[in-house]
Amino acid sequence: MRSPEHVASAVSDPKLVEERRAEILDAAVRLFSENGYYVTTIQQIAKASGVSIGLIYQYFGDKDDILFLSLKLVLDRYETEIPARLEGVEHPVDRLCTAIWAYCSIVDALRHAAVLTYRSTKSLRADRRTLIQDAERKTNLLIEGCVHQCVAGGYMREVDEFLFAYQVVLFCHAWALKNWALRDRFSLAEYVSEGVKLMVEPFLTAKGKAALAALRRRSHDFRDEPARTAPR
Amino acid sequence: MRSPEHVASAVSDPKLVEERRAEILDAAVRLFSENGYYVTTIQQIAKASGVSIGLIYQYFGDKDDILFLSLKLVLDRYETEIPARLEGVEHPVDRLCTAIWAYCSIVDALRHAAVLTYRSTKSLRADRRTLIQDAERKTNLLIEGCVHQCVAGGYMREVDEFLFAYQVVLFCHAWALKNWALRDRFSLAEYVSEGVKLMVEPFLTAKGKAALAALRRRSHDFRDEPARTAPR
Amino acid sequence: MRSPEHVASAVSDPKLVEERRAEILDAAVRLFSENGYYVTTIQQIAKASGVSIGLIYQYFGDKDDILFLSLKLVLDRYETEIPARLEGVEHPVDRLCTAIWAYCSIVDALRHAAVLTYRSTKSLRADRRTLIQDAERKTNLLIEGCVHQCVAGGYMREVDEFLFAYQVVLFCHAWALKNWALRDRFSLAEYVSEGVKLMVEPFLTAKGKAALAALRRRSHDFRDEPARTAPR
Amino acid sequence: MRSPEHVASAVSDPKLVEERRAEILDAAVRLFSENGYYVTTIQQIAKASGVSIGLIYQYFGDKDDILFLSLKLVLDRYETEIPARLEGVEHPVDRLCTAIWAYCSIVDALRHAAVLTYRSTKSLRADRRTLIQDAERKTNLLIEGCVHQCVAGGYMREVDEFLFAYQVVLFCHAWALKNWALRDRFSLAEYVSEGVKLMVEPFLTAKGKAALAALRRRSHDFRDEPARTAPR
DNA sequence: AATGAATGAGTGTTCATTCAT
DNA sequence: TATGAATGAACACTCATTCAT
């Protein structure tokens, strides 16, 4: 999962590689997110992660590698945490709403890092870019799956599931991308709630609507839902 | 409109300033869009626009200025061309659909430049960034206005107009941002058409639905609509 | 005197050359004095003197020319004004003291420009530097002449007249060079008065001392002497 | 003493910083002295000191830093070597004359660098300029102390000690500043000897004169005095 | 005679990367 | 494995000078 795929290291002990890379990437993601890829220097990453410059080059081939794995780290969070949050949630409508809620709250936790994926994917070498796009597609499929179950279960009328899922994903990303415009008008919970009204509800069948109503009764519009994402 | 506001030039003749700046920005937008802000050098811009390095600094204070005016140029296109396309369009539903169509086709024409606004706005100096965000807000209001008329005219049921408009805008931007994922599945016309189905149709009242149906009869699902934006 | 010697102009009318050069040099001396030769740009000189950049190159060959004539202008002031102030002064001791007073007050009026001669003479092309040094020598001879008359007249005992004169000149220059250290402790009049005590008085014969005493009685220690240099 | 105060280095090992800075400053002082601050490029300093351009920026913040430490180096020489030469010299008159001799011979050894302090102090950032002026004041106090002892010991009649000392300092600096005019007329030893006659002797009391005469008998007018400054 | 737009070599400075220790 | 001093190509930006008008 935390795949070192495509990125070679001069260090042999895989456990050490794992560990050190995590430390360095942690600092890199923070710095890239705050200041951007080109503005962040290797020196800064070295200082922030408490290792020497030379060591960074033992664990990463070059700066592009660090960016790649930084972006991968963010996308892996989506891919890992959304399913984790869906665990135990059975009803398709519940699953879709929970997925939206989960995605938005992860984006909220990683706000700057989420923006980074938009800012810096193009700075990646072409082959790496494709890998990142593949990872994004995979996350989209998570959402698309939820949508499909809703449709298949008769809770939602037929839609272009691919595009529908993409809209949902964009909506979640927007919480980071356009936070400057949104934060004055919505809390995260309100944002998710409005998102459901805007994107999900209109497509629900009678059966689906009933499910959503039941869900709302239980969760008071998601408002009491504790943030399950560990804040960073 | 093509506002040189906030950016001073060493050259006095305003006509010449207008002209040269346009030439240089033209090259800059292209290069920034293709390769990114930091990767693009002033040398490259100079060569691509056929002027000397020194001359660029007679028309722009520094590289940040060039980025700012490049982004402004793109946003100004939205702000100018969407109203132009709406001219003569009367019916609120028609206006909303036309706005979506117009926005998407402008984004299509400026594909890389539209991505640039997401990639590089954060590279701007903070005060400049605010100006760009203001310009984005203004374009959003164009869409929001269309939505409001639909609601006020009873063609659409009540919605959070701000968020609705933002969803529409994101959808249009997505055509550029996620073109790598969308182009295999949709032509531009199909994309717009699906967008209407996904974002507009579900909210229309009976009256609104009738209007949309009439509209579709006339325009054959937008599919025959010629691209009215001058390609760049 | 205001010699355009060694500096060619593209403009033929000598009166115009005289006039324009004066305007430009006026600005140049001020800017060079305040900010230094290398920091001052031709653009700044053009703006400050109210002429175009191109015109400057009609009246001066290059930037070095402007520096040369700027320095020459300052040295010419010494050479012109010191004799002017000595006019009508007969007694050798009086002449020497008046020369010191005159030199110091010119330096005071041209404070920054006087510093410029120390800062920037070395920036001149070698052949030009020699010309400036010649001009300095000429001013020194003015002082040396006064010293010689004192000695010849029996008012002063024998000294190395050349070195004595140089000490006097340095003392006058120091008012500009070390103004940061001197201005808190002396007014200009006090400085000159102390200078006479330090450099002249110890060398006076009895006859010389009497002359100085008479002089002081008349001029109240120079303290009431009005500044005869037109401030610039 | 060789104070790196106010200038930070990216390199941690203080011994290495000391060493490298010395190498680089050595080249910088030479180049600045010969060609001036603005004409000297970092490239030249790098080449002359045998290090890379980048390395210079590991040891100095910017070019201004290099100038500051260059000037400081020169002033530190005065401050260190004059007291060193005075060590063991007891008699006040002897001390004053020795100080003059020492100062002049240091100036002689650092001829161009001494000129640099006059040429380039104003090129320094304002806060740095003040530090340099403070250093100059400190050296002046060295001379002033000698003068004071002469007066206190009854070897010299009362004078403005501050100004007297300044005259002495100017005289020493003049050996560098006006070397083009002086070298044809005086050897260094003659210059110092004449300086004593011009500045010191006239103020000596009978007691002071006797001391000077004794001194001269011992040192044969300073003429045999070996240059104790290591030439650079 | 006068203008000022245009030029581009040259500057200080940065920073990814290497490599001796 | 780990360090961080050392490198130098590459960058943004400046400014003396030219020249068409």
Side-chain angles (χ1 to χ4, degrees), chain C residues 62-80:
Chain C
D62 57 16
K63 203 184 172 190
D64 191 273
D65 275 0
I66 306 178
L67 176 58
F68 172 63
L69 290 182
S70 293
L71 295 174
K72 198 86 181 46
L73 200 62
V74 177
L75 295 178
D76 283 348
R77 287 282 287 270
Y78 298 153
E79 209 185 314
T80 313

Side-chain angles (χ1 to χ4, degrees), chain C residues 11 20 52 54-55 58-59:
Chain C
V11 175
R20 281 265 189 275
S52 69
L55 203 66
Q58 303 254 11
Y59 291 97

Side-chain angles (χ1 to χ4, degrees), chain D residues 120-139:
Chain D
S120 298
T121 299
K122 250 195 142 184
S123 303
L124 232 35
R125 286 204 306 263
D127 56 322
R128 298 289 182 68
R129 184 154 64 243
T130 309
L131 292 171
I132 291 299
Q133 291 170 345
D134 289 346
E136 182 176 316
R137 259 188 268 258
K138 255 164 110 179
T139 308

Side-chain angles (χ1 to χ4, degrees), chain B residues 78-149:
Chain B
Y78 298 152
E79 207 185 317
T80 313
E81 295 195 16
I82 293 173
R85 300 266 217 111
L86 286 177
E87 211 139 292
V89 181
E90 299 293 343
H91 194 286
V93 173
D94 198 356
R95 286 180 68 83
L96 178 57
C97 293
T98 302
I100 295 173
W101 171 249
Y103 205 155
C104 283
S105 66
I106 298 165
V107 165
D108 184 58
L110 306 175
R111 192 137 71 225
H112 297 292
V115 176
L116 182 66
T117 63
Y118 276 73
R119 257 189 110 180
S120 298
T121 300
K122 250 195 141 183
S123 304
L124 233 35
R125 286 203 307 261
D127 56 321
R128 297 288 183 68
R129 186 155 62 242
T130 308
L131 292 171
I132 291 298
Q133 290 170 346
D134 288 346
E136 182 178 314
R137 258 188 268 259
K138 254 164 109 178
T139 308
N140 282 20
L141 282 174
L142 249 37
I143 307 294
E144 208 176 322
C146 295
V147 175
H148 183 71
Q149 285 175 355

Side-chain angles (χ1 to χ4, degrees), chain B residues 20-174:
Chain B
R20 281 265 185 276
R21 276 194 175 169
E23 283 168 28
I24 295 167
L25 282 178
D26 194 56
V29 169
R30 197 172 59 250
L31 288 165
F32 287 161
S33 298
E34 278 165 19
N35 310 320
Y37 173 65
Y38 287 106
V39 173
T40 301
T41 68
I42 299 288
Q43 288 261 14
Q44 287 170 358
I45 297 174
K47 180 163 284 182
S49 57
V51 302
S52 68
I53 293 169
L55 202 66
I56 291 184
Y57 285 90
Q58 302 244 22
Y59 292 97
F60 301 90
D62 57 16
K63 204 185 171 190
D64 190 274
D65 275 359
I66 305 179
L67 176 58
F68 172 63
L69 290 181
S70 293
L71 294 174
K72 197 87 180 49
L73 201 63
V74 176
L75 295 179
D76 283 348
R77 287 281 288 270
Y78 298 152
E79 207 185 317
T80 313
E81 295 195 16
I82 293 173
R85 300 266 217 111
L86 286 177
E87 211 139 292
V89 181
E90 299 293 343
H91 194 286
V93 173
D94 198 356
R95 286 180 68 83
L96 178 57
C97 293
T98 302
I100 295 173
W101 171 249
Y103 205 155
C104 283
S105 66
I106 298 165
V107 165
D108 184 58
L110 306 175
R111 192 137 71 225
H112 297 292
V115 176
L116 182 66
T117 63
Y118 276 73
R119 257 189 110 180
S120 298
T121 300
K122 250 195 141 183
S123 304
L124 233 35
R125 286 203 307 261
D127 56 321
R128 297 288 183 68
R129 186 155 62 242
T130 308
L131 292 171
I132 291 298
Q133 290 170 346
D134 288 346
E136 182 178 314
R137 258 188 268 259
K138 254 164 109 178
T139 308
N140 282 20
L141 282 174
L142 249 37
I143 307 294
E144 208 176 322
C146 295
V147 175
H148 183 71
Q149 285 175 355
C150 286
V151 175
Y155 300 100
M156 196 181 269
R157 57 188 172 81
E158 300 224 325
V159 292
D160 183 320
E161 294 172 12
F162 170 82
L163 205 58
F164 188 103
Y166 230 127
Q167 272 291 92
V168 166
V169 167
L170 283 170
F171 178 84
C172 299
H173 290 168

Side-chain angles (χ1 to χ4, degrees), chain D residues 58-86:
Chain D
Q58 303 243 22
Y59 292 97
F60 301 91
D62 57 16
K63 205 185 171 190
D64 190 274
D65 275 359
I66 306 179
L67 176 57
F68 172 64
L69 290 181
S70 293
L71 295 173
K72 198 86 181 42
L73 200 62
V74 177
L75 295 179
D76 283 348
R77 288 282 288 268
Y78 298 154
E79 208 186 314
T80 312
E81 296 195 15
I82 294 173
R85 298 267 215 112
L86 286 176

Side-chain angles (χ1 to χ4, degrees), chain D residues 52-158:
Chain D
S52 68
I53 293 170
L55 201 67
I56 291 183
Y57 285 90
Q58 303 243 22
Y59 292 97
F60 301 91
D62 57 16
K63 205 185 171 190
D64 190 274
D65 275 359
I66 306 179
L67 176 57
F68 172 64
L69 290 181
S70 293
L71 295 173
K72 198 86 181 42
L73 200 62
V74 177
L75 295 179
D76 283 348
R77 288 282 288 268
Y78 298 154
E79 208 186 314
T80 312
E81 296 195 15
I82 294 173
R85 298 267 215 112
L86 286 176
E87 209 137 294
V89 180
E90 298 294 342
H91 195 287
V93 173
D94 197 357
R95 285 180 68 82
L96 177 58
C97 293
T98 302
I100 296 174
W101 171 251
Y103 207 155
C104 282
S105 65
I106 297 165
V107 165
D108 185 58
L110 307 176
R111 192 136 72 225
H112 297 294
V115 175
L116 182 66
T117 63
Y118 276 72
R119 256 187 113 180
S120 298
T121 299
K122 250 195 142 184
S123 303
L124 232 35
R125 286 204 306 263
D127 56 322
R128 298 289 182 68
R129 184 154 64 243
T130 309
L131 292 171
I132 291 299
Q133 291 170 345
D134 289 346
E136 182 176 316
R137 259 188 268 258
K138 255 164 110 179
T139 308
N140 282 21
L141 282 175
L142 248 39
I143 307 296
E144 208 176 322
C146 295
V147 175
H148 182 71
Q149 286 176 355
C150 286
V151 175
Y155 301 100
M156 195 182 272
R157 57 185 172 84
E158 299 224 327

Side-chain angles (χ1 to χ4, degrees), chain A residues 15-36:
Chain A
K15 202 167 154 184
L16 193 55
V17 170
E18 180 79 357
E19 206 178 290
R20 281 265 191 274
R21 276 193 176 170
E23 283 167 28
I24 295 167
L25 283 177
D26 193 58
V29 169
R30 196 172 61 251
L31 288 166
F32 287 162
S33 298
E34 277 164 19
N35 310 320

